[in-house]
Amino acid sequence: MVPDYDLAPSVTANTAQQLKAIAEPVRGLILDLVLERAASVTELAAALDRPKSSIAYHVDVLVDAGLLQIVRTRKVRAIDERFYGRTGRTIILGNHPTPEDAARQDFLAEAQAEAVVTESAQMRS
């Protein structure tokens, strides 16, 4: 099914903020609900049978983490109702190493191997 809003093929979640945001079960449900169709906080609250204030908090966390975005708005009694959608169809967890990352890992492994082993009670500089 094609989403009713523009959506990138993927987004990478590799920061602590993003991983923490995804780890909360309610936020995972929110991300699932908006995969195919954008939804307002009111619609999400009704679908999850939770208070709007609670859902609004979770939506804000996901927006701050860059995993949700406002895809459209509409006027409802002089107030703008926001509709949220995912920033990417697939959320890729963690980093995918680049050649630079591999070189850095090799350097760190060499440095660790060359480090002088000291007794834990003895401090050295």
Side-chain angles (χ1 to χ4, degrees):
M1 186 178 224
V2 177
D4 68 346
Y5 58 93
D6 289 332
L7 180 64
S10 66
V11 62
T12 302
N14 56 8
T15 67
Q17 179 186 18
Q18 290 171 323
L19 296 174
K20 184 178 176 184
I22 292 172
E24 165 62 43
V26 172
R27 294 182 202 138
L29 293 172
I30 291 169
L31 288 169
D32 287 345
L33 288 171
V34 298
L35 179 59
E36 303 299 334
R37 186 178 80 78
S40 68
V41 169
T42 303
E43 292 172 331
L44 292 169
L48 295 172
D49 195 27
R50 303 264 181 149
K52 284 196 314 188
S53 59
S54 172
I55 297 302
Y57 167 77
H58 290 296
V59 165
D60 287 343
V61 170
L62 289 166
V63 169
D64 290 344
L67 300 171
L68 275 188
Q69 62 185 342
I70 298 170
V71 295
R72 66 178 170 270
T73 60
R74 74 174 180 188
K75 285 274 192 202
V76 177
R77 289 180 256 151
I79 296 175
D80 284 334
E81 183 177 36
R82 297 180 194 110
F83 288 81
Y84 296 90
R86 290 167 67 146
T87 55
R89 175 169 282 289
T90 303
I91 298 172
I92 301 168
L93 300 178
N95 290 333
H96 293 284
T98 63
E100 294 82 19
D101 292 333
R104 185 172 35 248
Q105 290 294 341
D106 291 342
F107 169 76
L108 292 173
E110 288 175 23
Q112 186 176 13
E114 293 174 4
V116 177
V117 179
T118 62
E119 295 178 25
S120 60
Q122 187 179 16
M123 293 181 65
R124 293 188 182 195
S125 63

